[in-house]
Amino acid sequence: MTAAAGVDRIPVELPAGTVTVSADHVRPPSAWATIAVAHGAGAGRTHPFLTGFAEGMQRAGVATVLFDFPYREAGRRMPGPAAHAVATWRAVLARLAERGSPGPTWAAGKSYGGRMASMAAAEGVIDPAGLVYLGYPLHPPGDPAKARVAHLPDVRQPQLFVSGTRDPFVDPHVQLEQAVASCQDARLVWIEGVAHSFEGAGRPRDPARLGADLAPLVAEFLRERA
């Protein structure tokens, strides 16, 4: 059997009115969980890293949803207000609940997309089974004083942080380790020798492969918490 796939248009309520965002749904046979995956600040849902990660999750039996935030849908390169991203997360998980997605539904994101999910969960706007961060952007590179951590202890769901040891967004490492320790239920997995997009010496250059390589450890965490 092959996976069932489809493109959705999801309405998102913003202060200036309703917009729609695109979402790609793939449901493999006998899927036991669902994961919604948001993109980073500079790339949309079709970036090879995300599609590679999604394909890896599908091979593990997890249904996937890749979606765009409104600024990407509108063709802009810079993120809009955080409230717009939080509203988008609300709309995406609401749509998945309407569709009756298989198993527990998780929220995940690359960099910015994951941070926006954590804010939505901390505010109680979304209630996923848990959250997965692929390269959490703890602070701007070279500026650890601007750590984005105050809300993380308010996230009550399980959280998985996957970060590279050469990622400038989490240097010094102890800052991320302390942030994870402050959470209610969180795990940190370091990927040795890789940077923010999980590239590094001796690693494949194909971003789709880099994304796919992370899927097994994420799927294992989901199974542990199922």
Side-chain angles (χ1 to χ4, degrees):
M1 296 178 64
T2 58
V7 179
D8 196 4
R9 297 284 292 168
I10 301 176
V12 180
E13 298 290 337
L14 300 180
T18 302
V19 301
T20 58
V21 297
S22 300
D24 299 322
H25 299 251
V26 179
R27 180 172 179 167
S30 303
W32 53 272
T34 300
I35 191 165
V37 187
H39 56 78
R45 76 187 195 283
T46 60
H47 190 278
F49 179 91
L50 293 183
T51 58
F53 174 72
E55 289 169 2
M57 295 302 294
Q58 293 154 23
R59 287 192 290 271
V62 179
T64 64
V65 181
L66 303 179
F67 65 93
D68 282 327
F69 287 117
Y71 75 94
R72 290 295 303 186
E73 193 75 40
R76 296 191 296 272
R77 298 182 63 182
M78 296 300 294
H84 291 191
V86 169
T88 305
W89 267 111
R90 177 196 290 117
V92 169
L93 292 197
R95 176 58 61 92
L96 292 179
E98 293 170 4
R99 291 169 64 103
S101 296
T105 296
W106 289 70
K110 176 69 180 77
S111 192
Y112 168 84
R115 185 166 72 90
M116 294 298 103
S118 71
M119 292 174 61
E123 295 172 14
V125 172
I126 62 172
D127 185 18
L131 299 100
V132 176
Y133 313 118
L134 305 176
Y136 187 87
L138 190 70
H139 55 71
D143 197 357
K146 295 182 179 178
R148 304 147 173 159
V149 298
H151 66 288
L152 291 176
D154 295 328
V155 178
R156 64 176 184 79
Q157 298 88 351
Q159 301 176 84
L160 175 64
F161 293 76
V162 184
S163 290
T165 58
R166 293 181 54 246
D167 185 348
F169 287 82
V170 291
D171 184 19
H173 295 170
V174 67
Q175 195 170 22
L176 179 59
E177 292 166 349
Q178 291 172 345
V180 172
S182 75
C183 295
Q184 298 182 40
D185 181 0
R187 179 184 302 174
L188 170 60
V189 176
W190 288 111
I191 307 297
E192 186 65 37
V194 305
H196 190 57
S197 294
F198 296 93
E199 74 283 8
R203 301 273 291 173
R205 295 179 181 273
D206 179 10
R209 174 71 181 279
L210 294 175
D213 284 350
L214 298 179
L217 73 89
V218 173
E220 181 181 359
F221 185 76
L222 269 58
R223 281 195 180 278
E224 289 178 5
R225 301 308 181 98

